[in-house]
Amino acid sequence: MDRSQFNQCVEQYADRLFRFALSSLRNREEAEDVVQESFARVWEKLKTVDFAKAKSYLFTTAHHAMIDQVRQR
């Protein structure tokens, strides 16, 4: 994946990812943190994440980040 594809992922999936996190966490700030953390993890692995699988990677990463948030409570 390259930078322009990453930006395309942000445009396409940020809202859906936020709604996914918000529906599970029921806390707006925590959901925003999950979305930001998910995109940060994709950015760190930009060269290894395939653009065609970015959606799956993002939602899996968000799911794990939500579990971490619940454990921290």
Side-chain angles (χ1 to χ4, degrees):
M1 182 184 314
D2 61 19
R3 183 176 259 180
S4 66
Q5 291 172 325
F6 175 80
N7 290 336
Q8 187 177 354
C9 283
V10 172
E11 290 175 17
Q12 286 183 343
Y13 303 124
D15 289 336
R16 285 189 249 175
L17 201 59
F18 175 74
R19 288 192 307 262
F20 172 64
L22 187 60
S23 69
S24 296
L25 295 172
R26 308 264 188 240
N27 182 302
R28 187 172 192 81
E29 291 80 24
E30 288 180 352
E32 289 170 351
D33 289 344
V34 164
V35 172
Q36 186 169 1
E37 179 65 26
S38 299
F39 281 110
R41 289 182 187 176
V42 169
W43 182 258
E44 290 172 359
K45 298 187 181 233
L46 197 62
K47 299 294 181 194
T48 60
V49 175
D50 183 19
F51 179 67
K53 297 179 182 179
K55 180 181 177 184
S56 175
Y57 189 90
L58 279 167
F59 279 84
T60 301
T61 302
H63 176 75
H64 291 288
M66 286 186 288
I67 292 171
D68 292 343
Q69 285 282 352
V70 170
R71 286 181 181 162
Q72 288 178 0
R73 287 187 200 161

